[in-house]
Amino acid sequence: REMNREVLGVDIGGVIIDRVNDNTDTSFFGNNYLRTTAVPDAFGVLGHLAAGRFAGNLHLVSKCGQKVQDKSVDWLRFHRFFELTGIPSNHLHFCRERHEKKGICDQLGITHFVDDRLEVLSYLIDGVRTPPMCYLFRPQDREVQKFQRFLPSVCVVQEWKEIEKAFGLKGEKQ
Protein backbone atom coordinates (compact mmCIF):
# COMPACT_ATOMS: atom_id res chain seq x y z
CA ARG A 1 0.00 0.00 0.00
CA GLU A 2 1.23 3.49 -0.74
CA MET A 3 2.78 5.24 2.22
CA ASN A 4 0.77 8.26 3.40
CA ARG A 5 -2.39 7.07 1.61
CA GLU A 6 -5.28 7.31 4.02
CA VAL A 7 -8.21 4.93 3.64
CA LEU A 8 -11.42 5.22 5.67
CA GLY A 9 -13.61 2.21 6.45
CA VAL A 10 -17.12 2.70 7.81
CA ASP A 11 -19.63 0.21 9.22
CA ILE A 12 -23.25 0.51 8.07
CA GLY A 13 -25.69 -0.64 10.80
CA GLY A 14 -25.78 1.77 13.73
CA VAL A 15 -23.26 4.06 12.01
CA ILE A 16 -25.04 5.01 8.75
CA ILE A 17 -28.43 3.32 9.27
CA ASP A 18 -29.74 4.56 12.63
CA ARG A 19 -30.63 2.17 15.45
CA VAL A 20 -33.03 4.74 16.87
CA ASN A 21 -35.66 3.00 14.73
CA ASP A 22 -35.20 -0.38 16.46
CA ASN A 23 -38.41 -1.58 18.12
CA THR A 24 -40.51 0.85 16.04
CA ASP A 25 -42.50 0.26 12.85
CA THR A 26 -39.55 1.64 10.88
CA SER A 27 -37.05 -0.83 12.34
CA PHE A 28 -34.50 -2.03 9.80
CA PHE A 29 -35.43 -5.57 10.81
CA GLY A 30 -39.13 -5.12 9.98
CA ASN A 31 -41.11 -4.79 6.74
CA ASN A 32 -40.73 -1.00 6.55
CA TYR A 33 -36.93 -1.13 6.61
CA LEU A 34 -36.62 1.35 3.72
CA ARG A 35 -38.21 3.95 6.05
CA THR A 36 -35.47 3.45 8.65
CA THR A 37 -33.68 6.78 9.03
CA ALA A 38 -30.03 7.53 8.52
CA VAL A 39 -27.85 8.54 11.45
CA PRO A 40 -27.97 12.39 11.54
CA ASP A 41 -25.22 14.02 9.42
CA ALA A 42 -23.87 10.65 8.17
CA PHE A 43 -24.49 11.40 4.47
CA GLY A 44 -23.17 14.97 4.70
CA VAL A 45 -19.99 14.16 6.59
CA LEU A 46 -19.25 11.07 4.48
CA GLY A 47 -19.83 13.11 1.32
CA HIS A 48 -17.42 15.77 2.60
CA LEU A 49 -14.77 13.16 3.48
CA ALA A 50 -15.28 11.30 0.16
CA ALA A 51 -14.77 14.53 -1.78
CA GLY A 52 -11.77 15.62 0.30
CA ARG A 53 -9.32 13.83 2.53
CA PHE A 54 -10.46 10.29 1.60
CA ALA A 55 -11.25 10.90 -2.10
CA GLY A 56 -11.44 7.50 -3.80
CA ASN A 57 -10.44 5.84 -0.52
CA LEU A 58 -13.66 5.48 1.45
CA HIS A 59 -15.20 2.02 1.87
CA LEU A 60 -18.24 0.58 3.65
CA VAL A 61 -17.50 -2.66 5.51
CA SER A 62 -20.43 -4.49 7.07
CA LYS A 63 -20.95 -7.80 8.86
CA CYS A 64 -24.35 -9.37 8.26
CA GLY A 65 -26.18 -12.33 6.81
CA GLN A 66 -27.41 -12.44 3.21
CA LYS A 67 -30.91 -11.15 4.06
CA VAL A 68 -29.60 -8.06 5.89
CA GLN A 69 -26.97 -7.61 3.17
CA ASP A 70 -29.74 -7.44 0.55
CA LYS A 71 -31.76 -5.03 2.71
CA SER A 72 -28.65 -2.86 3.27
CA VAL A 73 -28.01 -2.61 -0.48
CA ASP A 74 -31.72 -1.80 -1.06
CA TRP A 75 -31.65 0.85 1.70
CA LEU A 76 -28.46 2.49 0.39
CA ARG A 77 -29.90 2.64 -3.15
CA PHE A 78 -33.36 3.78 -2.00
CA HIS A 79 -31.80 6.64 0.00
CA ARG A 80 -29.47 7.48 -2.94
CA PHE A 81 -26.49 7.05 -0.63
CA PHE A 82 -23.92 6.56 -3.40
CA GLU A 83 -25.13 9.54 -5.45
CA LEU A 84 -25.40 11.83 -2.43
CA THR A 85 -22.04 10.93 -0.88
CA GLY A 86 -20.00 10.33 -4.03
CA ILE A 87 -18.80 7.00 -2.61
CA PRO A 88 -18.66 4.41 -5.43
CA SER A 89 -21.14 1.54 -5.02
CA ASN A 90 -18.31 -0.96 -5.59
CA HIS A 91 -16.72 0.31 -2.35
CA LEU A 92 -19.26 -1.80 -0.47
CA HIS A 93 -17.91 -4.91 1.29
CA PHE A 94 -19.75 -7.55 3.31
CA CYS A 95 -18.62 -10.40 5.53
CA ARG A 96 -20.48 -12.92 7.67
CA GLU A 97 -18.42 -12.79 10.90
CA ARG A 98 -17.22 -9.72 12.83
CA HIS A 99 -13.59 -10.85 12.89
CA GLU A 100 -13.63 -11.03 9.06
CA LYS A 101 -13.72 -7.23 8.87
CA LYS A 102 -10.01 -7.29 9.75
CA GLY A 103 -9.12 -9.20 6.56
CA ILE A 104 -11.15 -6.77 4.45
CA CYS A 105 -9.51 -3.78 6.17
CA ASP A 106 -6.04 -5.29 5.67
CA GLN A 107 -6.79 -5.90 2.00
CA LEU A 108 -8.06 -2.35 1.47
CA GLY A 109 -5.23 -0.76 3.48
CA ILE A 110 -7.68 0.85 5.92
CA THR A 111 -5.98 3.51 8.07
CA HIS A 112 -9.12 4.79 9.86
CA PHE A 113 -12.25 2.82 10.81
CA VAL A 114 -15.64 3.79 12.26
CA ASP A 115 -17.74 1.06 13.90
CA ASP A 116 -20.35 0.89 16.66
CA ARG A 117 -18.90 -2.34 18.09
CA LEU A 118 -15.77 -2.42 20.19
CA GLU A 119 -15.51 -6.14 19.41
CA VAL A 120 -14.92 -5.35 15.72
CA LEU A 121 -12.38 -2.66 16.56
CA SER A 122 -10.61 -5.09 18.91
CA TYR A 123 -9.77 -7.33 15.94
CA LEU A 124 -8.33 -4.34 14.06
CA ILE A 125 -6.20 -3.28 17.04
CA ASP A 126 -5.08 -6.58 18.53
CA GLY A 127 -1.53 -7.63 17.65
CA VAL A 128 -1.09 -5.10 14.86
CA ARG A 129 2.07 -3.00 14.83
CA THR A 130 0.34 0.06 13.36
CA PRO A 131 -3.40 -0.48 13.81
CA PRO A 132 -5.86 1.82 12.05
CA MET A 133 -7.16 4.84 13.96
CA CYS A 134 -10.42 3.45 15.32
CA TYR A 135 -13.55 5.42 16.14
CA LEU A 136 -16.16 3.75 18.35
CA PHE A 137 -19.49 5.25 17.32
CA ARG A 138 -22.32 5.45 19.88
CA PRO A 139 -21.20 2.35 21.77
CA GLN A 140 -23.58 0.15 23.71
CA ASP A 141 -22.55 -0.23 27.36
CA ARG A 142 -22.99 -4.00 27.59
CA GLU A 143 -20.84 -4.62 24.55
CA VAL A 144 -18.16 -2.16 25.71
CA GLN A 145 -17.87 -3.88 29.10
CA LYS A 146 -17.03 -7.16 27.41
CA PHE A 147 -14.19 -5.64 25.34
CA GLN A 148 -13.22 -2.76 27.63
CA ARG A 149 -9.49 -3.54 27.57
CA PHE A 150 -9.49 -2.14 24.01
CA LEU A 151 -11.23 1.10 25.01
CA PRO A 152 -7.96 3.06 25.56
CA SER A 153 -7.02 2.31 21.92
CA VAL A 154 -10.11 3.88 20.35
CA CYS A 155 -11.68 7.32 20.09
CA VAL A 156 -15.30 7.22 21.33
CA VAL A 157 -17.66 9.47 19.36
CA GLN A 158 -21.39 10.05 19.65
CA GLU A 159 -22.14 11.82 16.37
CA TRP A 160 -20.82 12.35 12.84
CA LYS A 161 -19.97 15.99 13.54
CA GLU A 162 -17.34 14.74 16.05
CA ILE A 163 -15.77 12.58 13.35
CA GLU A 164 -15.81 15.49 10.92
CA LYS A 165 -14.11 17.64 13.54
CA ALA A 166 -11.54 14.92 14.27
CA PHE A 167 -10.61 14.79 10.58
CA GLY A 168 -10.97 18.51 9.91
CA LEU A 169 -8.86 19.88 12.75
CA LYS A 170 -5.74 17.89 12.09
CA GLY A 171 -4.22 20.59 9.90
CA GLU A 172 -4.20 18.46 6.74
CA LYS A 173 -5.69 19.85 3.59
CA GLN A 174 -9.31 18.85 3.12
Side-chain angles (χ1 to χ4, degrees):
R1 93 182 180 203
E2 304 155 42
M3 297 305 284
N4 302 334
R5 184 179 75 129
E6 293 185 303
V7 184
L8 176 60
V10 180
D11 180 35
I12 299 175
V15 177
I16 295 172
I17 300 174
D18 206 333
R19 275 176 203 253
V20 80
N21 302 271
D22 289 1
N23 306 318
T24 69
D25 69 339
T26 58
S27 166
F28 191 72
F29 300 101
N31 293 332
N32 296 321
Y33 69 95
L34 290 176
R35 292 181 34 215
T36 304
T37 53
V39 170
D41 303 314
F43 283 38
V45 173
L46 286 168
H48 177 84
L49 294 171
R53 181 167 171 180
F54 296 98
N57 292 312
L58 205 160
H59 296 266
L60 304 184
V61 182
S62 181
K63 190 268 338 159
C64 56
Q66 188 63 51
K67 194 173 171 186
V68 172
Q69 177 176 328
D70 294 343
K71 285 173 130 182
S72 298
V73 171
D74 284 352
W75 188 94
L76 291 164
R77 288 195 178 125
F78 180 82
H79 290 274
R80 300 181 48 241
F81 177 83
F82 301 107
E83 297 92 320
L84 295 171
T85 62
I87 297 168
S89 59
N90 66 344
H91 282 209
L92 180 56
H93 313 272
F94 291 98
C95 57
R96 298 295 178 246
E97 302 290 333
R98 291 193 183 114
H99 68 89
E100 292 172 336
K101 284 190 180 185
K102 179 174 175 13
I104 294 170
C105 288
D106 290 349
Q107 207 173 0
L108 297 171
I110 297 289
T111 58
H112 300 74
F113 199 81
V114 181
D115 206 296
D116 64 333
R117 292 194 177 272
L118 189 53
E119 177 185 354
V120 168
L121 299 178
S122 77
Y123 300 123
L124 303 184
I125 294 162
D126 206 18
V128 180
R129 204 170 331 149
T130 52
M133 180 65 210
C134 292
Y135 296 86
L136 181 58
F137 192 86
R138 292 186 181 169
Q140 296 170 311
D141 294 339
R142 199 171 342 131
E143 201 253 353
V144 168
Q145 284 168 358
K146 197 171 168 192
F147 296 93
Q148 63 187 359
R149 69 187 177 100
F150 295 98
L151 209 51
S153 303
V154 304
C155 177
V156 179
V157 290
Q158 296 297 331
E159 56 185 36
W160 273 101
K161 289 293 185 190
E162 287 179 72
I163 293 171
E164 184 174 49
K165 202 180 267 185
F167 288 137
L169 298 177
K170 297 232 187 264
E172 288 121 4
K173 40 184 204 295
Q174 289 288 297

